Amino acid sequence: MKDVSIETITKAFLAYCSDDTDERTMFVLKSMVEHLHAFAKETQLTHDEWLTGINFLTKAGEITDSERNEFVLISDTTGMSTLVDMLGSQHAGTSSSVLGPFHILGAPELPIGGDLKRDNDGATVVIEGHVKDPDGKPITNAVLELWQTADNGLYSNQDDAQDEYNLRCSMKVDENGRYAMTTVRPSPYKIPDDGPVGDLLRATGRDAWRPSHLHFIMVAEGYKSLVTEVFPSDDVYLDRDAVFGVREDLIMEYQEKTDLDELPADLAVGRNVTQPYYKVDFDFILVPENT
Ligand code: BEZ
Ligand code: FE
């Protein structure tokens, strides 16, 4: 097309693409470019504003390395990670939520009732629950992974003072689908905000904070794997999570307790918990693979 204009540029783009392009690729690309062109027209985008956007992405590229992916943070903080996740998981099970950048493979297995808190500072959390199917039947072959921040709001891979696998474990549920462990009460923390994403959050008066949470991955043969996180109901950042991870069904209650008789009988620490301790009961629902 020789005479490209504001009116014809979207058509010109489409005309240049080969008819042999994979159907889904073309469908998604067409829609994306149509929306981009419509966005520029609707906002009457200036050259300086467009350059600001290009510079933002350039800075994201410069700060990205094998440990830090600023593009994932852009996706997380614009709600795209959560939106795409929700579009792909509309089912009757426990909601999924963002994986985040701090998961590492190889967390050691902890027996049911095991202790993750060890000598970590902070209040003791006693968490237990069951992994079930949507009819309430226990899923007996589920394996979970848990990872979380320490009391200082840092994951083990952000903090040289912590062991590599501090506050990380895998656990096989028992014949009733039950899991249980003692751990430490995690703290709210800020997502990495020293790059362009942090600049954008500050420019728009937004928080870099996430409410405190426990990350989980649940895997069981015959069921869809679940990547999720659970949040305490009393966290001050629950309504302004920087990455939009909170869902109603992912909110847990910290039940403050001092009665040691109420502790589960099979804890590795026995009754040796800091006082008060916080009891959490949280069940997970996995959906069959073919739903
Ligand atoms: C996290 O939960 O660890 C996290 C999630 C998204 C972005 C940054 C951190
Ligand atoms: Fe996290």
Side-chain angles (χ1 to χ4, degrees):
M1 192 176 279
K2 286 199 190 92
D3 189 19
V4 174
S5 68
I6 291 174
E7 284 72 37
T8 61
I9 189 159
T10 310
K11 268 200 180 138
F13 168 82
L14 295 172
Y16 290 173
C17 297
S18 157
D19 288 347
D20 297 337
T21 309
D22 169 75
E23 201 176 328
R24 177 70 186 167
T25 303
M26 200 58 235
F27 180 72
V28 173
L29 189 65
K30 176 176 183 282
S31 177
M32 190 183 77
V33 171
E34 282 171 351
H35 280 86
L36 277 174
H37 288 185
F39 154 75
K41 290 183 201 176
E42 184 185 316
T43 58
Q44 289 293 301
L45 201 66
T46 67
H47 194 252
D48 279 354
E49 288 163 347
W50 184 239
L51 264 187
T52 302
I54 299 280
N55 287 339
F56 176 80
L57 293 176
T58 305
K59 281 192 210 148
E62 283 164 1
I63 205 168
T64 292
D65 59 23
S66 59
E67 306 274 297
R68 161 86 177 261
N69 191 327
E70 195 75 358
F71 295 98
V72 175
L73 272 189
I74 295 173
S75 167
D76 292 344
T77 53
T78 54
M80 277 304 281
S81 302
T82 288
L83 179 58
V84 172
D85 189 28
M86 290 191 296
L87 289 169
S89 61
Q90 293 165 343
H91 55 57
T94 299
S95 295
S96 54
S97 189
V98 289
L99 173 69
F102 301 115
H103 174 254
I104 51 175
L105 296 171
E109 186 177 336
L110 198 69
I112 294 169
D115 181 38
L116 266 191
K117 182 173 186 297
R118 297 185 299 162
D119 55 359
N120 281 277
D121 288 340
T124 301
V125 169
V126 180
I127 181 164
E128 67 176 335
H130 292 83
V131 185
K132 305 172 186 175
D133 74 8
D135 297 324
K137 224 176 85 220
I139 299 177
T140 58
N141 62 346
V143 180
L144 66 83
E145 250 186 271
L146 177 148
W147 71 104
Q148 64 169 94
T149 58
D151 192 46
N152 62 3
L154 294 174
Y155 288 91
S156 62
N157 47 350
Q158 296 176 290
D159 183 4
D160 291 340
Q162 296 181 46
D163 293 343
E164 185 180 8
Y165 287 110
N166 190 41
L167 298 171
R168 299 169 187 270
C169 72
S170 70
M171 184 174 287
K172 290 185 180 129
V173 302
D174 69 12
E175 66 283 2
N176 300 312
R178 177 174 172 268
Y179 73 93
M181 68 191 80
T182 43
T183 187
V184 69
R185 189 172 164 152
S187 303
Y189 63 86
K190 277 180 168 185
I191 63 166
D193 67 345
D194 54 341
V197 165
D199 293 340
L200 187 60
L201 292 177
R202 279 182 292 278
T204 51
R206 278 181 58 188
D207 271 312
W209 288 92
R210 296 212 65 203
S212 64
H213 52 268
L214 300 170
H215 287 276
F216 285 94
I217 294 179
M218 304 267 153
V219 178
E221 210 185 313
Y223 295 86
K224 287 187 175 149
S225 298
L226 175 69
V227 176
T228 194
E229 30 179 11
V230 295
F231 304 86
S233 58
D234 60 355
D235 197 290
V236 291
Y237 296 107
L238 217 51
D239 287 322
R240 46 200 168 112
D241 179 6
V243 301
F244 308 97
V246 182
R247 311 280 177 280
E248 197 64 43
D249 68 315
L250 299 180
I251 295 176
M252 63 182 177
E253 299 293 331
Y254 280 137
Q255 306 155 53
E256 187 174 320
K257 303 228 181 236
T258 48
D259 186 351
L260 299 178
D261 288 339
E262 291 185 47
L263 287 166
D266 59 354
L267 294 183
V269 294
R271 295 176 157 224
N272 187 17
V273 295
T274 55
Q275 294 271 27
Y277 66 91
Y278 296 89
K279 180 76 200 314
V280 173
D281 297 301
F282 199 88
D283 291 345
F284 294 89
I285 300 169
L286 301 187
V287 291
E289 208 150 44
N290 49 14
T291 41

